[in-house]
Amino acid sequence: MYIRIHHGIIAKKRPDDRIEVEFTPLVANDYFAQILESGYIEITKTNSEKAFLSTEKFAQLIEANELLVIEK
C-alpha cells in the first residue's frame, strides 16, 4: 500500500519492543508500506531504510489526520 504522511513523525527502527528502542524520522512525503505478520507496519523510506509503526500507532495517526492511506 502507499501512504502519505502530512507532517513529520517518529517511527521505530526495529519492529519489536526491546528495552533499547531506536527511532527514525519520517518527513512529510508518500511512502510504500506493508503490514507484517508481527502486527507492525513496515514503511520504506526514500533512502531504502525501513521504519516501523505498530498497528495501534498507525490507526492513531490516521484518526489524527497525520497519515492517509492513498492506495491499497
Side-chain angles (χ1 to χ4, degrees):
M1 77 179 124
Y2 285 90
I3 62 170
R4 177 169 293 146
I5 295 177
H6 296 291
H7 305 287
I9 62 170
I10 299 294
K12 291 183 177 185
K13 282 190 172 186
R14 293 187 184 86
D16 54 32
D17 292 316
R18 296 181 185 182
I19 292 173
E20 191 175 318
V21 179
E22 296 180 49
F23 295 95
T24 185
L26 289 168
V27 297
N29 204 347
D30 294 352
Y31 297 95
F32 175 75
Q34 60 185 345
I35 301 169
L36 303 178
E37 288 181 21
S38 65
Y40 277 85
I41 311 296
E42 178 186 80
I43 301 165
T44 304
K45 295 173 65 170
T46 53
N47 63 359
S48 298
E49 280 184 31
K50 305 294 184 192
F52 301 90
L53 293 172
S54 67
T55 51
E56 295 85 15
K57 182 67 174 177
F58 192 79
Q60 289 172 357
L61 290 168
I62 290 172
E63 264 187 50
N65 268 345
E66 296 291 323
L67 187 151
L68 174 68
V69 176
I70 54 176
E71 183 182 320
K72 285 194 176 191

